[in-house]
Amino acid sequence: MRKTLFRSLFERTLTEPPPPVDEAALAQLAAGIDRAARQRFGRGLAIREVDAGSCNGCELEIHALTNAFYDLERFGLRFVASPRHADVLLVTGPVTCNMREALARTYAATPAPKWVVAAGDCTCEGGVFAGSDRVVAGGVAAVIPVDLYIRGCPPTPTQLLAGLLALLVQPAT
Amino acid sequence: MSVFDAIIGGYPAVAGHRPWPRFVIDSAAWNRAAEGLRDGAFVLVGYWGDADRVHLALAEPTYASGCVLTLPCPDGRFPSLAVTHPPSARLERAIQDLWMLTAQGAADRRSWLDHGRWPTSAERAKADYAFLPVEGEGLHRIPVGPVHAGIIEPGHFRFTASGEAVVRLEARLGYVHKGIEGLMAGAPLAKAARLAGRVSGDSTVAYALAFARAVEVATEAPVPPRAVWLRALMAELERIANHLGDIGAICNDAAFAIMLAHCGVLRERVLRTANTCFGHRLMMDRVIPGGIGVDLADEGAAAIEALIRHIRDRFPELVELYDNTASLQDRTVATGRLQPALAQRFAAGGVIGRASGRAIDVRRHPGYPPYDDLPFQVPVREDGDVNARVWVRIGEVEQSLALLSLILSRLPSGPIAAEVPCPATAVEGLALVEGFRGDVLVWLRLGRDAQVERCHFRDPSWFQWPLLEAVIEGNIVADFPLCNKSFNCSYSGHDL
Ligand code: SF4
C-alpha cells in the first residue's frame, strides 16, 4: 500500500486536458434548451445513467469517464444513484419494450428542470436494433424528450466528455 | 463408443451440420437424454427453440466431443428437461416465450423474457409476475431494479431478508431483450456479424469470433493463418481489459477504491492499445466471417509490447496490495461461496466455474486454433468464494499477457480474410468460444445464399445467474454487490 501510494506521489498526473467542447452538441443545445435552466444549473451537474436496452458497450465507455485519464468529476459532473438527485439523464440503448416503462418512470422521478442526453447510435431510432418488434420504434425520443445526442457505437470517452461539457457552457446573455 | 451412443444409436446424423453431429430424435430418446443429464453423464451446453422443434446441445464432461439433438414438436409441446435437470429451467421458459412451445411437466410455467409488453406477447405474460413465495416470521422484502444505482445493466432483484441475512434472492431478467435472434433471421452475413458483435458489448470479440467460427465451420471456409492469430490477440486483449475492470470493481464494492483507480488506469491502457492496433477501443466489428476486417497497425506490435511491460511492472504491486489488505480480505474471503458440486451441476463456465473447481476452458477442449498450438495454463481453485474469483482473474490476466507475447512472436504474415463460400444447400454450424465470462455458444443455419436462417446465441451467464441466487443465501444484504460483481454476469447477452 505504502509503496503504491509513494509511487503515485512522484508520478506525472495521468489526467488529460479536456477535449474541446463539441460544437455540434452546442448547436443542438442552443436550439432546444431553455436558457433559464442552463443558468440555474451553473457549474455542476448530477447525472443519472439509465440503460434502456444497451449492449453494455456504452456503459463501459461511460464508466471510463471516471478513470484517472478523463476524471469527469473535475468538471463538476458526477454520477448519482437516484433520478431524484439528478439534473441529467444519460440514456443508452434502443429502449426495449421491456424497459419502456422503467425509462418513463425514471424520467418522471427526475425533478425539473432536467435534460436528457442520449448516448450511442442505438438510442437514435434503434441503430443496429431498428426493425425489431421488441424495441420501441423511434428510439429514446419516442419515450422521453431528448436534448442532446452523442453519437458513436459506442461513443469514446472523449466524445462523451466533449458532448457533456457542452451542457456546462453558459448561454451568452 | 461415445457417451451419446445410448441415446442416438440408430438415428442417422443430419447432413451438413458441423463440427458435432446433429440427430433428429423422438421423445423416447429425449427422455434418455434427460436421464443422462440428471445423472451427469454429459453436460448441457445449449438448449434453444426453432420453428416447431427444440434443439439440445450436449457435451462430454471433458468437452472433447458433443452432439446436438433435435426433437420435432408438431403439436407444439416437448417434455420438460427442467423436471430432472433444473439448470435447463430458464432456457426452457425462454423457449416457451420465443417459440410458443410448451414444456410439458415443467414446474415453473412463468414467462421469462416475455414481460407482456411485446406486440406478440402471450396472454399469461401480461399478468403481474409472481415471485416465488417466502414464508417465515420477521421476513422483509427488498425489491431492487430494474434501474440500479450504479452504471450497470438493468434487471430486477427481489431479496427476502431476515434482519441482515438474505434468505432468498430471486432475479427477474429480460429487460434488455432486443429481439436479436429475430433480427438475425434473414440477415445477410455482414449485418449478422455486426449484430453478433453487439449481443454483449463487453464480449464483442468473443461473440463476433463465435459467430464467425460457426459460419466458417458450416461453410468449410478457410481462414488465413494471420487472421486466426490476430483474432486470438484481440480475444486476449478483451479478456485482460475485462478482468482488470472486474478486479478493480470488486475491490471497489468492498469500499477499497484505490484498487479501482489503479485497475481502471490499466484497463484504459489496454483499450487505448486496442485502438492503436485495430482502430476501435472495444475492437467491435474487427472479427468477420472469413477472417478479420482490419490488420494490425504498423505500430501495433510495439504498442502491445509496451503494454505488456507496463502491466507486468504495475500489476504485481496491485496484486500484493490486494493480498496484504486485511480489511479487504475480510470482505472477500468466505463470502458468496459457490459449492463445486453446484458449479458442476450447472456447468458454470468461466471464472465462476474455475474458482469452484471446474477446470473447463473451451480454448482447450474442444479447442480451436491457434490455442491448440499455444501453451497456457488454466487457473483453477476450489474455495469458490469472492476471493477465489478474484485470484482466478489475476491468474488469467497473467496467462493472457504471456499469450499476447507468444502470439506476437509467432504472428504469421499473409492475407487477413478469405471469401466465405456460398453453400450449395442449407448448412449448419456450432461454435464454442471462451470469452472473459466463459463459454459462448453460437449455433446457426445458413441458407443457400449465405443468409442467416436461424442463429442462436447462448451466453455463459445462463448457467451463472441462477448460482448467484444460491451463493448469496445466508450472506448479508450488504455483500450482494460484492458477490454480484464477482460474478459479473451479462444482462444483454442473456436477454438477447
Ligand atoms: S450504441 Fe453501440 S455500443 Fe452503445 S449500446 Fe448501442 S450497440 Fe452497444
Side-chain angles (χ1 to χ4, degrees):
Chain A
M1 178 96 164
R2 249 181 298 151
K3 201 162 72 189
T4 312
L5 288 176
F6 198 68
R7 196 158 159 169
S8 305
L9 271 182
F10 293 98
E11 272 184 343
R12 217 165 32 88
T13 148
L14 295 171
T15 312
E16 295 170 339
V21 176
D22 187 349
E23 291 296 328
L26 274 180
Q28 272 187 68
L29 290 173
I33 280 186
D34 82 272
R35 206 166 255 275
R38 295 182 72 177
Q39 276 158 353
R40 201 159 333 143
F41 280 143
R43 295 177 45 82
L45 289 174
I47 306 172
R48 170 65 257 195
E49 201 268 349
V50 185
D51 174 341
S54 102
C55 77
N56 201 28
C58 279
E59 276 61 36
L60 294 181
E61 294 298 56
I62 291 170
H63 247 296
L65 289 173
T66 58
N67 76 31
F69 290 87
Y70 306 103
D71 188 18
L72 189 72
E73 295 222 6
R74 74 185 137 142
F75 305 108
L77 298 169
R78 62 187 201 286
F79 290 107
V80 293
S82 165
R84 296 189 198 284
H85 304 155
D87 308 312
V88 174
L89 291 185
L90 178 58
V91 185
T92 62
V95 190
T96 59
C97 298
N98 290 352
M99 272 306 286
R100 179 189 193 125
E101 183 189 336
L103 176 63
R105 283 168 69 164
T106 305
Y107 182 77
T110 310
K114 53 191 163 188
W115 294 337
V116 174
V117 179
D121 284 346
C122 66
T123 56
C124 188
E125 298 183 4
V128 285
F129 308 114
S132 167
D133 67 351
R134 308 292 160 83
V135 304
V136 173
V140 178
V143 183
I144 57 175
V146 175
D147 296 295
L148 173 66
Y149 285 100
I150 302 177
R151 300 299 295 259
C153 185
T156 62
T158 308
Q159 286 168 326
L160 286 164
L161 199 52
L164 291 174
L165 288 179
L167 295 176
L168 291 176
V169 174
Q170 289 289 318
T173 42
Chain B
M1 255 297 275
S2 91
V3 286
F4 308 112
D5 283 354
I7 314 171
I8 54 175
Y11 295 92
V14 174
H17 187 284
R18 283 177 279 268
W20 293 347
R22 179 164 80 85
F23 302 93
V24 179
I25 58 165
D26 58 16
S27 57
W30 184 263
N31 290 337
R32 289 198 292 278
E35 284 164 20
L37 278 175
R38 180 197 61 200
D39 301 340
F42 33 73
V43 178
L44 176 77
V45 290
Y47 188 14
W48 65 99
D50 208 333
D52 300 327
R53 69 209 108 128
V54 285
H55 304 285
L56 180 67
L58 302 173
E60 265 184 63
T62 58
Y63 280 60
S65 72
C67 68
V68 176
L69 305 179
T70 301
L71 180 71
C73 328
D75 56 355
R77 287 181 295 198
F78 61 101
S80 166
L81 293 178
V83 186
T84 47
H85 192 59
S88 50
R90 285 179 178 175
L91 287 157
E92 217 159 77
R93 290 165 67 190
I95 293 172
Q96 299 201 56
D97 290 350
L98 300 177
W99 296 93
M100 306 295 164
L101 299 169
T102 306
Q104 271 187 303
D108 192 344
R109 296 275 338 271
R110 293 174 300 170
S111 54
W112 180 238
L113 299 178
D114 185 354
H115 292 192
R117 288 148 199 270
W118 306 335
T120 55
S121 277
E123 272 314 308
R124 64 188 166 82
K126 291 179 184 160
D128 278 348
Y129 191 76
F131 286 93
L132 298 174
V134 188
E135 283 172 29
E137 216 173 300
L139 296 181
H140 59 283
R141 286 193 151 190
I142 313 170
V144 179
V147 178
H148 296 297
I151 304 171
I152 57 165
E153 301 181 84
H156 182 90
F157 297 109
R158 187 63 63 101
F159 296 92
T160 306
S162 169
E164 279 287 309
V166 178
V167 177
R168 167 175 276 166
L169 163 66
E170 190 184 356
R172 189 189 185 199
L173 303 174
Y175 289 91
V176 285
H177 174 78
K178 297 177 268 290
I180 293 180
E181 294 190 352
L183 287 168
M184 291 295 281
L189 274 190
K191 181 185 173 198
R194 278 179 66 78
L195 273 165
R198 286 161 182 80
V199 170
S200 183
D202 44 36
S203 307
T204 178
V205 174
Y207 268 96
L209 179 55
F211 175 75
R213 285 191 49 76
V215 170
E216 289 150 8
V217 70
T219 58
E220 301 186 288
V223 184
R226 184 170 176 83
V228 169
W229 286 74
L230 284 176
R231 286 172 169 188
L233 193 74
M234 295 184 205
E236 298 313 315
L237 282 171
E238 180 174 270
R239 195 179 325 277
I240 295 170
N242 281 308
H243 281 348
L244 286 172
D246 282 350
I247 295 167
I250 295 168
C251 296
N252 191 52
D253 275 354
F256 198 65
I258 187 172
M259 281 290 283
L260 177 66
H262 284 283
C263 289
V265 167
L266 292 184
R267 178 185 154 84
E268 176 69 19
R269 291 201 190 277
V270 179
L271 299 189
R272 289 180 173 205
T273 305
N275 192 40
T276 306
C277 293
F278 301 105
H280 192 284
R281 288 163 52 91
L282 303 180
M283 298 170 284
M284 269 179 176
D285 308 320
R286 271 39 191 177
V287 177
I288 55 171
I292 55 173
V294 178
D295 203 348
L296 181 66
D298 292 339
E299 63 277 30
I304 292 178
E305 274 158 12
L307 175 75
I308 298 170
R309 277 197 305 276
H310 183 78
I311 299 180
R312 287 221 166 110
D313 177 39
R314 298 305 169 97
F315 193 52
E317 221 171 81
L318 299 178
V319 174
E320 204 185 305
L321 180 58
Y322 173 77
D323 202 18
N324 291 339
T325 306
S327 61
L328 183 55
Q329 300 268 319
D330 182 48
R331 295 290 305 279
T332 59
V333 175
T335 304
R337 183 163 270 155
L338 172 62
Q339 298 302 334
L342 208 51
Q344 192 67 31
R345 182 128 205 251
F346 274 73
V351 169
I352 296 168
R354 292 191 283 272
S356 290
R358 193 169 178 269
I360 297 294
D361 185 322
V362 297
R363 289 176 296 174
R364 270 272 166 76
H365 300 291
Y368 48 94
Y371 296 102
D372 40 5
D373 201 12
L374 281 168
F376 65 97
Q377 279 160 20
V378 178
V380 179
R381 285 178 70 114
E382 300 286 334
D383 31 356
D385 53 3
V386 173
N387 178 54
R389 292 187 280 277
V390 171
W391 279 108
V392 170
R393 285 183 173 95
I394 290 170
E396 292 188 7
V397 167
E398 286 158 359
Q399 289 300 316
S400 293
L401 285 173
L403 279 171
L404 286 182
S405 294
L406 275 174
I407 293 168
L408 278 182
S409 70
R410 295 177 52 189
L411 196 59
S413 52
I416 54 163
E419 186 124 3
V420 177
C422 233
T425 54
V427 289
E428 299 170 326
L430 177 144
L432 281 168
V433 161
E434 189 73 24
F436 86 101
R437 283 196 182 89
D439 53 315
V440 169
L441 175 140
V442 171
W443 180 87
L444 52 77
R445 182 169 61 244
L446 288 182
R448 278 171 43 191
D449 43 4
Q451 269 196 2
V452 176
E453 284 182 3
R454 169 86 179 94
C455 179
H456 171 66
F457 300 97
R458 197 271 299 136
D459 195 88
S461 306
W462 278 99
F463 303 126
Q464 299 167 344
W465 274 120
L467 298 174
L468 179 62
E469 295 174 23
V471 305
I472 189 66
E473 243 180 70
N475 287 259
I476 58 173
V477 178
D479 275 345
F480 176 70
L482 199 53
C483 293
N484 191 24
K485 225 31 139 288
S486 77
F487 269 57
N488 190 15
C489 298
S490 171
Y491 300 70
S492 186
H494 167 282
D495 294 354
L496 286 171

